[in-house]
Structure formats: C-alpha cells, structure tokens
Amino acid sequence: DAGVIQSPRHEVTEMGQEVTLRCKPISGHNSLFWYRQTMMRGLELLIYFNNNVPIDDSGMPEDRFSAKMPNASFSTLKIQPSEPRDSAVYFCASEGTDSYEQYFGPGTRLTVT
Amino acid sequence: TQLLEQSPQFLSIQEGENLTVYCNSSSVFSSLQWYRQEPGEGPVLLVTVVTGGEVKKLKRLTFQFGDARKDSSLHITAAQPGDTGLYLCAGGPRYKLTFGKGTLLTVNP
C-alpha cells in the first residue's frame, strides 16, 4: 500500500494568493482528517470527513479555509486568500472503519510570504 | 477542550541512556495514544492505552497509563540514535483527537 499521499510537499506563495493542498487517502479507509502543525500550537485538527461527508469542521480557523472530498480517493484543503500566519505543515490522515489508528501523510510545508 | 501537557519539551541524551517523558492532563481520557514523528514525515502510531494502570511494552519502549486515566508516561531503555524524533501523546474522542505539543528527543551516538 502506498500510504496517504499528499501534494505538493512544499508550497511557497505570496500573501493573498490561493493555495490548494491535495490528499489521497489509503484505499478502503472511510475517514479523512486534515491537521495543521506549528511550533506554537502543535498539531491541530482542522476538519474530519466520514464517507466523504464533512462531519466536524469546528477546527477550521476562519472562512478563508475550505475543504472538500468529492470522492473516496481525493480531498482538498483550500486557503483563499492566504496570509503569512497560515504558514505551517498541513497533514492529511485517514482511518479505516475497524481500526483506531490514523495513518498520516508526509505533510505539505506551506510558507506564505 | 481537553488539554495535554507534555514534558520535557526538549531532551538530548547519549546513546545507551534511559529516559522518561510525560503526558499530563486535568481531564480523564478513555484512552491515550503515543505517536513518533520523524523530521519531514507525519506522526506514526506507537501504542494505544485504554485501561487505567495499563502497561504496554514495545521492544525497549514502555508505556504506562495512569490509574486515574489523566496521565501517561513513555520510558525508553538504552536509547539509540534511531529513537530520535518528536514524541506526541493524543487523546479524546476517536474522531476528534487532541495532541500534546510533544517532546523532541535527540539521541546522540
């Protein structure tokens, strides 16, 4: 199994630009999570999908952030417009129905200048 | 929100030494998980503890869940450079985990 795949691995953009992060979960997993990791705040849950439906988006910081999961094998996290304080590593994770284990992707390091 | 405090924040030791890192909260958790994160990678689950007082061993790593289910510890025996990484504890409802900020461990050869 290829594991959770995220792209791009690194993204550098200017303030005000739109940023789209992509995630392919492990095949057969029905839950998908987006996290953000910073030194100051640690690893924070942004949004959780189950069977492609957003269940809890209370961690999404503000309206500039949006996430979609059009099918079981693809999800996006979009930031529009981006701001320097959005700079962080963004992780996607997936989990199967019968396991209590989240599998994390390698992350996307976002730098907003 | 249930908060998890991890200590120490940083730990640098020599190969062969023993160490313990801690994860504490004022809240009761039904279970706690420990993850290890290596540079440039996502966290990887090491263990889940679910019963107060439970002890689990994973080779040279020993995990303990406090009797009151508010705290946990990770003890590493004879640390090796391959143990270097960020150790995170996490707890909470299954689909809404709260993570501590982690202990960054460096094991020097």
Side-chain angles (χ1 to χ4, degrees), chain B residues 6 11-12 15 17 24 31 37 42 44 46 52 54 72 74-75 81 87 90-91 95 97 100 104:
Chain B
Q6 292 191 246
L11 186 57
S12 180
E15 182 175 0
E17 293 183 2
N24 296 291
S31 65
Q37 184 178 12
V44 175
L46 296 174
E54 180 178 7
S72 182
L74 160 59
H75 181 80
Y87 289 81
Y95 298 118
L97 289 178
L104 184 60

Side-chain angles (χ1 to χ4, degrees), chain A residues 24-101:
Chain A
K24 176 178 170 57
I26 292 173
S27 177
H29 282 188
N30 65 333
S31 296
L32 184 139
F33 308 82
W34 282 100
Y35 290 89
R36 177 172 66 177
Q37 187 175 39
T38 62
M39 287 289 292
M40 288 295 294
R41 301 176 66 90
L43 192 63
E44 302 174 284
L45 177 65
L46 299 178
I47 187 169
Y48 151 58
F49 291 86
N50 185 255
N51 293 325
N52 313 336
V53 176
I55 304 299
D56 188 338
D57 66 354
S58 59
M60 296 286 263
E62 49 197 275
D63 292 344
R64 297 184 298 107
F65 286 68
S66 62
K68 294 182 180 180
M69 192 166 184
N71 57 64
S73 59
F74 183 66
S75 177
T76 60
L77 178 67
K78 184 177 295 186
I79 308 172
Q80 166 63 21
S82 58
E83 297 183 2
R85 59 192 170 120
D86 301 331
S87 297
V89 181
Y90 290 81
F91 289 100
C92 175
S94 69
E95 181 177 324
T97 303
D98 298 327
S99 78
Y100 196 145
E101 179 173 358

Side-chain angles (χ1 to χ4, degrees), chain B residues 75-98:
Chain B
H75 181 80
I76 301 178
T77 303
Q80 299 177 1
D83 296 326
T84 292
L86 180 67
Y87 289 81
L88 298 163
C89 65
R94 177 176 176 180
Y95 298 118
K96 197 164 184 174
L97 289 178
T98 297

Side-chain angles (χ1 to χ4, degrees), chain A residues 13-19 64 79-84 86 112:
Chain A
T13 191
E14 292 184 347
M15 182 174 63
Q17 295 299 306
E18 178 179 297
V19 175
R64 297 184 298 107
I79 308 172
Q80 166 63 21
S82 58
E83 297 183 2
D86 301 331
V112 183

